[in-house]
Amino acid sequence: MKKQIIHISLHRTGKIVALVSAAVSILFFIALLLVGVISHPEILGRFNAIWLRLLIATLMIPLISGLFGYLFTVIGCFLYNRIAKRTGGIEFTVTESGDF
């Protein structure tokens, strides 16, 4: 059975991609922070501008990633919807499966 995607919800899709982008960026930032602390353990003993910058980055990176993820997804969905009106959208084949 063939199906076509002729419309993608802009806000809903943008919201999901933004949340996933923010979550993934938090994971990457934590990994990078751990690598930084392991490679420079001397920074653990003092509180200075480095920690303040890390705290600001911890808050800002997921927000910026989520914002740009939302904006570019909305733009992409908008363009897809306009193009799909003229071309019929993406077509794919679906089969019934009892695996779930």
Side-chain angles (χ1 to χ4, degrees), residues 1-2 92-98 100:
M1 165 188 317
K2 291 190 178 192
F92 57 97
T93 304
V94 191
T95 62
E96 292 294 326
S97 175
F100 298 104

Side-chain angles (χ1 to χ4, degrees), residues 29 33 47 49-61:
F29 184 76
L33 181 63
F47 184 82
I50 293 172
W51 285 107
L52 184 59
R53 282 184 254 150
L54 287 174
L55 178 63
I56 291 170
T58 302
L59 298 173
M60 295 303 294
I61 287 173

Side-chain angles (χ1 to χ4, degrees), residues 7-18:
H7 179 78
I8 298 175
S9 173
L10 278 72
H11 177 65
R12 182 176 296 224
T13 307
K15 180 174 58 174
I16 295 298
V17 170

Side-chain angles (χ1 to χ4, degrees), residues 14 17-19 21-22 25 61-71:
V17 170
L19 292 172
S21 296
S25 71
I61 287 173
L63 291 174
I64 291 169
S65 176
L67 176 67
F68 280 107
Y70 178 83
L71 290 175

Side-chain angles (χ1 to χ4, degrees), residues 34-98:
L34 288 174
V35 168
V37 168
I38 290 169
S39 64
H40 299 288
E42 67 275 3
I43 68 169
L44 287 175
R46 60 181 192 254
F47 184 82
N48 56 17
I50 293 172
W51 285 107
L52 184 59
R53 282 184 254 150
L54 287 174
L55 178 63
I56 291 170
T58 302
L59 298 173
M60 295 303 294
I61 287 173
L63 291 174
I64 291 169
S65 176
L67 176 67
F68 280 107
Y70 178 83
L71 290 175
F72 286 116
T73 300
V74 167
I75 291 168
C77 290
F78 175 79
L79 292 172
Y80 176 85
N81 290 338
R82 296 295 174 244
I83 293 168
K85 278 184 184 179
R86 292 172 177 80
T87 62
I90 296 172
E91 186 172 281
F92 57 97
T93 304
V94 191
T95 62
E96 292 294 326
S97 175

